[in-house]
Amino acid sequence: MATRKIRKMGDSILEKQSREITQMTPRIEALIDDMLETMYEADGVGLAAPQVGILKQLVVIDVSENADAPIVMINPKIVEASGEQTGDEGCLSVPGKVGRVTRPNYVRVQALDRNMQPVEFEGTELLARAMCHEIDHLGGVLYVDKVEGELRDARPEV
Ligand code: ZN
């Protein structure tokens, strides 16, 4: 495993549509492991493949307190969304900034797992927010386009 360089806002790859993954390969296996390591290293709760420069529909998320419950989603699609939550959101590709974004409070996502088997996830609150945010990345959408008001400087982590 290795960490990969996280692309920053302004890099045009972050604005492109990602392609579906049609079969698991050793390269994609390695990409999954590297993305998990990169996310944990950067203290993020989610990372999408375009953020490490790969235009494939692959997302990793871990919103658990101990960072020990990774979710891997291949070709994820939101099939149900309800409710609403408004709160601060940040992005590893937009370091040091946060902004208020309204998201569904519940989403149901269909995807493939790393064995290319169909899998379904339900998320509420932070997990729902992370799922929406990361799936947006696969369509070339950054949260900054959805911010209500201004992007603000994030408080330094204590
Ligand atoms: Zn992001």
Side-chain angles (χ1 to χ4, degrees), residues 46 51 90-93 133-134 137 142-143:
Q51 291 182 275
C91 178
L92 294 176
S93 294
H133 177 114
E134 300 309 333
H137 273 299
L142 292 179
Y143 86 99

Side-chain angles (χ1 to χ4, degrees), residues 5 8 24 41 44 49 55-56 72 77 90-91 97 130:
K5 184 169 177 278
K8 301 297 187 319
M24 188 48 56
E41 169 89 14
L55 287 172
K56 292 190 185 301
V72 175
K77 293 204 174 25
C91 178
K97 299 286 180 188

Side-chain angles (χ1 to χ4, degrees), residues 20-81:
E20 285 202 346
I21 292 172
T22 53
Q23 60 173 350
M24 188 48 56
T25 64
R27 282 173 76 110
I28 294 172
E29 284 279 2
L31 175 62
I32 292 170
D33 291 335
D34 288 356
M35 282 174 60
L36 285 166
E37 188 170 338
T38 303
M39 174 182 73
Y40 288 130
E41 169 89 14
D43 234 348
V45 298
L47 190 68
Q51 291 182 275
V52 294
I54 309 283
L55 287 172
K56 292 190 185 301
Q57 294 186 21
L58 169 60
V59 160
V60 296
I61 292 175
D62 191 340
V63 298
S64 71
E65 217 155 278
N66 299 320
D68 57 3
I71 290 173
V72 175
M73 301 193 299
I74 293 168
N75 305 339
K77 293 204 174 25
I78 294 173
V79 293
E80 193 182 339

Side-chain angles (χ1 to χ4, degrees), residues 11-26:
D11 188 322
S12 63
I13 203 157
L14 293 173
E15 294 159 20
K16 295 190 172 133
Q17 172 70 42
S18 289
R19 291 179 296 277
E20 285 202 346
I21 292 172
T22 53
Q23 60 173 350
M24 188 48 56
T25 64

Side-chain angles (χ1 to χ4, degrees), residues 52-157:
V52 294
I54 309 283
L55 287 172
K56 292 190 185 301
Q57 294 186 21
L58 169 60
V59 160
V60 296
I61 292 175
D62 191 340
V63 298
S64 71
E65 217 155 278
N66 299 320
D68 57 3
I71 290 173
V72 175
M73 301 193 299
I74 293 168
N75 305 339
K77 293 204 174 25
I78 294 173
V79 293
E80 193 182 339
S82 65
E84 212 177 76
Q85 55 173 322
T86 299
D88 276 345
E89 199 163 312
C91 178
L92 294 176
S93 294
V94 192
K97 299 286 180 188
V98 294
R100 271 169 82 83
V101 183
T102 297
R103 300 283 192 183
N105 197 51
Y106 165 88
V107 292
R108 189 160 60 88
V109 174
Q110 287 177 347
L112 300 175
D113 66 14
R114 60 192 298 164
N115 301 312
M116 299 298 278
Q117 296 304 306
V119 62
E120 200 169 274
F121 297 99
E122 287 182 305
T124 60
E125 300 175 8
L126 178 58
L127 180 54
R129 178 178 293 282
M131 286 170 164
C132 293
H133 177 114
E134 300 309 333
I135 291 171
D136 272 357
H137 273 299
L138 303 182
V141 175
L142 292 179
Y143 86 99
V144 296
D145 295 332
K146 299 186 169 178
V147 164
E148 299 151 25
E150 302 281 317
L151 268 190
R152 310 188 314 278
D153 288 333
R155 287 164 190 269
E157 302 274 332

